[in-house]
Amino acid sequence: MKLKELPDEELFTRGHTACAGCGAATAVRNLMKILGKNTMVVNPACCLLIFGATYPYLAWKVPFHHVAFENTAACATGMTRALRVRGKEDTLVMGIAGDGGTADIGIQALSGAAERNEDMLYVMYDNEAYMNTGIQRSGSTPFGAWTTTTPVGKVKAGKADFKKDMPLIMMAHNVPYVATASVGNIQDFINKFEKAKKMKGFRYIQIFTPCPTGWRHDTAKTIEIAKLAVETGMWTLYECENGKVKINRKPKMTPISEYLKLQGRFRHMKEDDIKKLQDWVTRKWEADEKYAQCRQ
Amino acid sequence: MYEVRFHGRGGQGAVMAAQALASAAHAEGGYATAFPFFGAERRGAPVLAFTRIDEKRIYRKTQVYEPDFVVVLDEGLLESVNVVEGLKKGGVVLVNSTRKPEEIDVGIDTKLATVDATSVALEVLKQPATNSSILGALAKATGLVKIESIEMGIMQVFGDRLGPKIGEKNARAARVAFERTVVGESHGKRVLKTAEKWLPDVNNLPMGVAGVAMKTTAGAVGPGSFLENKTGSWKVFKPEYDEEKCTMCNFCWFYCPEGCIYRKDDRMEFDMDYCKGCGICANECPAEAINMVR
């Protein structure tokens, strides 16, 4: 499908209460256009839950379930199985959660569902911290980033640990489809969701969605930052289809300082910290590339 | 006891203003409390903050339902929120506006003061953070606390959080706003809609709501009902679209987080009822057909 062929109908309506410039809102309304009406959504506590469904309002036009923080994948499993028992073979169940609900709190249910190869799609929108509760660090927060639980002080400044490589963890489960996407790369985004929609078995997609409020950047720069993350190598676009890994976009390897300077959460970073992060990014990209070569 | 209610938008700093006012009152030797009210909403959405000031210890912990003074940080809120709800007789309303007090209609006859806090903030702070300027105006309009105390309160609260330099600048903004405040009377003519309560209660809902969005006395519920929630009042800047330059690449249509850009045959249409003014469309347009304007 091309961008111009995407349907006009919104299954995630306007009027939702996301902050201006929210990357997650862009991701969700577009992925719903691709997945279509025959979808059920399972959603734990996260920003998306709050801005998409605040009583008495609901932005979703498809069946929507709010579940506990840690059991998105478990609930989606139950719903899929019930649908299959009732003979509905082609209804897609999508679990969608933020990075906290996926990489930290929801990982055991997710890992279980992946290991059993349940027939569902799991989407993680990665805004790199617990934004809903007021910007606390998560396993997905990058090195050096300010959050309210990794404050900038005299002794320590920002997060001291590196970002958890969640897609790699999911690939280790040997599921049919694992992919990384970004709100900045339109065609890549469409291709991946289209592919995921057609497949059977457990599918996992992680979308990179900048957050102006938590990352302290200009609301207009959301997409620019998402694109820069790909070009600097902070975020690699690849997919793993039935065990075969393919890099979708080779980054230009722009220096990460270009990416960092747009965001307030990195403003405090000193030269040697930036170098440390740059080394990590370079190594990560090399590792991703080698991994793709090994699993062609 | 004096009770103050601040009406602002998420991100405008109403909470810090309430704290600075409490700090100022405390510096004058009284007791004061300050706290915000958060809904489940986000940056740009209407928020409340409260300050209580008394000579005695304050035991009341509830939200302020019957304020003596109401402070409105964003004039646009007058359209969507009944800011004078519960205002005590003889109370004062302070509005951030370029207009004169007589020109502002809040629905009741009341003492009303205006100050163009946005311009003051742009002049002194170089950014539209109106929370400090409005405090200066509050001192002038109500005489609740002295402007000197306000300056001290701002230095304390803003300085602690954002550094002494920014604290000083904000104190200066308060002083400038203090001098520019216009106090007058306002006569309310327009009829304010009394909003239905935050209902429907779950017991009043008809069975099987999940099918379509349903109308109830309090508005729509069910799938797609967020359409009733017009988020257009959140914005400061709005997109200006040049049809001539547009190449119909559809990028803005995809990138818009609200989905308030519609595709027509040979042009795009921007729905200002929902646009939050983030500026992504203007930033990403390859043909530069979109500009953000005030």
Side-chain angles (χ1 to χ4, degrees):
Chain A
M1 209 191 291
K2 290 272 183 294
L3 170 61
K4 291 192 179 172
E5 292 157 13
L6 276 187
D8 276 309
E9 193 193 0
E10 305 275 353
L11 295 175
F12 187 84
T13 62
R14 52 200 179 275
H16 60 73
T17 54
C19 308
C22 177
T26 302
V28 171
R29 55 172 279 268
N30 286 303
L31 74 88
M32 281 316 294
K33 285 182 185 196
I34 303 163
L35 298 181
K37 270 188 177 163
N38 200 4
T39 307
M40 285 188 172
V41 179
V42 184
N43 188 203
C46 60
C47 272
L48 174 63
L49 169 79
I50 306 297
F51 72 67
T54 312
Y55 185 80
Y57 296 132
L58 186 63
W60 300 87
K61 284 188 174 172
V62 294
F64 168 83
H65 289 258
H66 168 211
V67 299
F69 219 148
E70 63 281 13
N71 58 11
T72 319
C75 291
T77 301
M79 280 166 64
T80 316
R81 294 221 177 164
L83 284 167
R84 299 301 176 258
V85 167
R86 296 182 66 178
K88 295 188 176 173
E89 287 300 327
D90 54 352
T91 303
L92 176 69
V93 178
M94 173 177 74
I96 181 164
D99 50 300
T102 305
D104 302 348
I105 299 172
I107 196 166
Q108 54 85 15
L110 174 65
S111 179
E115 186 260 325
R116 296 189 305 269
N117 197 17
E118 298 291 346
D119 186 17
M120 58 180 272
L121 168 65
Y122 192 102
V123 179
M124 157 173 168
Y125 69 93
D126 187 3
N127 50 22
E128 301 194 328
Y130 290 82
M131 296 310 179
N132 182 31
T133 43
I135 321 163
Q136 288 87 18
R137 116 201 235 290
S138 80
S140 198
T141 308
F143 172 80
W146 163 90
T147 65
T148 50
T149 44
T150 54
V152 177
K154 281 187 189 118
V155 183
K156 279 186 174 178
K159 192 183 173 188
D161 321 281
F162 292 95
K163 183 180 170 117
K164 189 189 272 190
D165 199 341
M166 203 53 203
L168 202 61
I169 296 175
M170 295 316 293
M171 277 195 266
H173 286 79
N174 275 323
V175 291
Y177 193 64
V178 175
T180 57
S182 160
V183 281
N185 297 50
I186 300 178
Q187 197 52 54
D188 182 70
F189 181 96
I190 298 175
N191 292 348
K192 281 170 179 168
F193 276 95
E194 245 195 323
K195 204 177 265 182
K197 187 189 172 185
K198 285 186 193 136
M199 290 178 89
K200 288 279 170 196
F202 192 90
R203 292 144 279 173
Y204 175 89
I205 299 181
Q206 187 166 336
I207 322 170
F208 189 81
T209 57
C211 166
T213 309
W215 297 12
R216 301 273 184 259
H217 65 76
D218 183 359
T219 54
K221 304 269 185 207
T222 302
I223 302 298
E224 197 177 321
I225 285 171
K227 285 178 181 164
L228 263 173
V230 173
E231 294 311 339
T232 51
M234 285 292 284
W235 185 244
T236 318
L237 293 179
Y238 58 85
E239 62 188 336
C240 172
E241 203 179 335
N242 298 318
K244 286 183 181 157
V245 183
K246 188 181 155 204
I247 303 274
N248 299 104
R249 188 175 172 87
K250 207 171 174 267
K252 288 183 192 138
M253 295 313 277
T254 318
I256 55 159
S257 51
E258 296 291 312
Y259 171 74
L260 303 183
K261 75 179 180 196
L262 288 175
Q263 301 170 49
R265 62 174 176 160
F266 293 119
R267 195 172 294 139
H268 59 274
M269 274 177 90
K270 301 248 163 44
E271 201 92 324
D272 46 333
D273 275 351
I274 295 178
K275 197 176 166 296
K276 206 169 159 189
L277 185 56
Q278 178 72 65
D279 287 348
W280 179 83
V281 168
T282 315
R283 272 207 317 279
K284 176 184 163 353
W285 161 244
E286 282 167 1
D288 285 346
E289 202 179 21
K290 277 196 191 124
Y291 189 68
Q293 279 166 3
C294 295
R295 293 189 65 172
Q296 263 177 359
Chain B
M1 185 189 302
Y2 291 105
E3 298 182 307
V4 187
R5 184 169 69 205
F6 291 82
H7 291 268
R9 289 187 185 281
Q12 272 182 342
V15 181
M16 269 171 96
Q19 286 169 348
L21 177 61
S23 202
H26 179 68
E28 290 190 354
Y31 287 88
T33 59
F35 55 98
F37 170 77
F38 293 114
E41 295 192 293
R42 291 290 175 271
R43 194 171 263 220
V47 295
L48 296 173
F50 312 102
T51 304
R52 281 201 178 91
I53 299 170
D54 203 350
E55 288 158 359
K56 302 192 292 284
R57 221 169 225 286
I58 298 168
Y59 290 103
R60 203 180 287 177
K61 305 285 186 209
T62 68
Q63 288 182 41
V64 170
Y65 296 102
E66 291 176 344
D68 299 270
F69 308 111
V70 170
V71 181
V72 185
L73 276 87
D74 185 333
E75 199 182 350
L77 287 170
L78 296 177
E79 299 304 320
S80 53
V81 183
N82 181 9
V83 295
V84 293
E85 197 176 1
L87 183 70
K88 278 191 198 134
K89 226 173 173 203
V92 183
V93 182
L94 170 63
V95 184
N96 170 19
S97 168
T98 48
R99 293 187 286 171
K100 289 196 191 85
E102 302 81 55
E103 295 166 17
I104 291 179
D105 186 350
V106 288
I108 57 165
D109 292 349
T110 177
K111 194 172 161 194
L112 194 139
T114 58
V115 64
D116 186 5
T118 312
S119 297
V120 173
L122 283 171
E123 271 169 44
V124 182
L125 308 171
K126 311 281 182 253
Q127 53 169 325
T130 53
N131 52 354
S132 48
S133 337
I134 206 91
L135 283 179
L138 183 72
K140 173 80 164 268
T142 65
L144 186 61
V145 277
K146 288 201 246 4
I147 178 69
E148 288 77 17
S149 320
I150 288 278
E151 284 174 329
M152 217 151 76
I154 288 177
M155 300 269 260
Q156 218 169 48
V157 174
F158 286 60
D160 263 11
R161 207 76 83 73
L162 307 166
K165 254 191 193 158
I166 297 177
E168 246 167 67
K169 263 191 180 174
N170 276 288
R172 196 154 9 104
R175 174 69 78 164
V176 175
F178 177 79
E179 269 139 30
R180 288 198 200 161
T181 308
V182 188
V183 187
E185 291 282 334
S186 152
H187 300 286
K189 284 188 201 73
R190 71 172 172 166
V191 184
L192 284 166
K193 269 192 292 181
T194 42
E196 281 271 346
K197 270 216 129 120
W198 181 241
L199 277 174
D201 184 274
V202 69
N203 296 320
N204 303 340
L205 280 177
M207 290 290 280
V209 185
V212 282
M214 302 188 81
K215 284 271 179 191
T216 69
T217 46
V221 288
S225 51
F226 249 129
L227 278 174
E228 294 243 322
N229 186 34
K230 303 269 169 79
T231 48
S233 63
W234 294 21
K235 62 177 164 294
V236 180
F237 299 101
K238 64 177 182 207
E240 196 181 53
Y241 171 63
D242 186 348
E243 217 177 307
E244 301 284 294
K245 283 187 190 162
C246 180
T247 57
M248 293 298 285
C249 67
N250 284 225
F251 283 3
C252 56
W253 176 75
F254 182 93
Y255 287 139
C256 176
E258 312 311 321
C260 64
I261 301 175
Y262 312 139
R263 296 190 293 192
K264 299 288 161 191
D265 290 339
D266 55 348
R267 59 190 294 275
M268 291 290 173
E269 203 174 280
F270 292 72
D271 191 342
M272 288 304 136
D273 282 352
Y274 296 97
C275 174
K276 290 172 189 160
C278 65
I280 289 179
C281 50
N283 200 48
E284 295 308 318
C285 182
E288 294 181 1
I290 307 168
N291 272 315
M292 297 305 284
V293 293
R294 186 73 196 271

